Amino acid sequence: MPVCKGCAEKFLLSFVPPGSGRCLLCGKILLSGKGLCSSCREKRVLWHADSVFPLWQYRLWFKGLLFEWKMNANRSLSPLFALCVDMAIDFLFPGRPRGSVVLVPVPPRPGKIREKGWDQIDDLCKILHFCYGRSVCRLIRRLSSVQQKKQDREHRLLLGASSYKADGKAVKRLAKSASLPQEAVLLDDVMTTGATVDACSAVLKGEGIRKVQVITLLIVD
């Protein structure tokens, strides 16, 4: 494990819970006051996601940790991050049975798993399902193979709306076996502009899901 128990408890497992002290929409930690942050008031991007709960800010140690996990493929970090997401879900849905909270992963770009051998969000979802009993439904497909990290803010916003669509087969399977949930948790690793999570939220709402709560590990502020 690349993070010792002491650092994990101090820095990773003690994130600020949702509620007071965070922006009600994007979840950024506010320096003072309540309500919306200046970005959400002046340049709002999130129109379909009901709210975002980022666990940490994309700075310093957390930035390096994400690079080690995502870019250096240090998958030994996946169980620790999955534990943090599991705790975050309990914060957001206190007292709810584990299987009743439906997780929807933001899908990887086409060909990524074939090229890299894994996808970090898929890794988290497998652990959350098999180790924590969380329900995972892969309801979204990504159409664009363009890497978001290589785009500026303007192009991220333009690409977001046209890059995702519902996975029709997955939606039909879920509808046959049970029914589409009234609310879902969308899971991603980093929120930069918010274009990706909002586009995916729009897809889910277009299929009849009424409320989309987003959880991301990090937020760029």
Side-chain angles (χ1 to χ4, degrees):
M1 171 67 70
V3 181
C4 70
K5 182 179 179 182
C7 286
E9 292 177 351
K10 182 178 181 180
F11 297 109
L12 297 179
L13 300 178
S14 59
F15 46 77
V16 178
S20 61
R22 284 183 177 268
C23 174
L24 296 176
L25 187 56
C26 75
K28 290 178 182 176
I29 297 175
L30 301 173
L31 297 178
S32 62
K34 298 180 180 180
L36 299 180
C37 67
S38 59
S39 296
C40 288
R41 290 197 307 268
E42 299 166 9
K43 297 180 180 179
R44 180 170 175 174
V45 174
L46 300 170
W47 296 98
H48 301 94
D50 290 280
S51 63
V52 182
F53 181 21
L55 304 192
W56 315 291
Q57 294 167 300
Y58 187 69
R59 297 179 183 175
L60 303 173
W61 186 70
F62 295 104
K63 185 176 180 179
L65 201 60
L66 182 77
F67 185 88
E68 179 67 20
W69 178 53
K70 186 174 179 178
M71 305 308 294
N72 289 344
N74 190 337
R75 297 175 72 173
S76 63
L77 282 163
S78 295
L80 180 56
F81 287 149
L83 171 61
C84 294
V85 172
D86 184 67
M87 291 176 60
I89 296 170
D90 283 340
F91 271 122
L92 293 169
F93 302 94
R96 287 274 294 272
R98 289 179 171 271
S100 68
V101 179
V102 176
L103 297 181
V104 180
V106 170
R109 59 183 171 81
K112 179 184 176 181
I113 293 180
R114 182 173 63 252
E115 176 188 338
K116 301 290 186 180
W118 76 302
D119 173 66
Q120 67 276 7
I121 301 303
D122 185 62
D123 232 29
L124 289 187
C125 285
K126 287 176 180 176
I127 296 170
L128 287 163
H129 177 64
F130 291 108
C131 297
Y132 294 98
R134 299 294 185 182
S135 297
V136 177
C137 295
R138 294 169 175 81
L139 301 178
I140 306 172
R141 290 177 53 211
R142 180 169 171 177
L143 304 177
S144 172
S145 60
V146 177
Q147 291 182 282
Q148 293 272 30
K149 65 182 180 181
K150 296 181 179 180
Q151 306 300 312
D152 58 21
R153 176 184 172 84
E154 182 180 353
H155 285 91
R156 281 173 182 260
L157 295 174
L158 288 172
L159 278 172
S162 60
S163 294
Y164 300 92
K165 67 176 293 186
D167 187 323
K169 292 182 179 179
V171 171
K172 287 181 180 179
R173 283 197 301 269
L174 181 60
K176 286 182 178 180
S177 62
S179 60
L180 287 175
Q182 294 297 301
E183 56 186 347
V185 173
L186 184 70
L187 181 61
D188 203 3
D189 54 358
V190 183
M191 188 174 89
T192 305
T193 63
T196 293
V197 297
D198 201 60
C200 290
S201 297
V203 170
L204 294 178
K205 289 193 170 180
E207 294 301 315
I209 294 174
R210 294 183 179 179
K211 183 176 181 180
V212 180
Q213 168 69 58
V214 181
I215 293 178
T216 67
L217 297 181
L218 296 156
I219 186 170
V220 177
D221 57 1

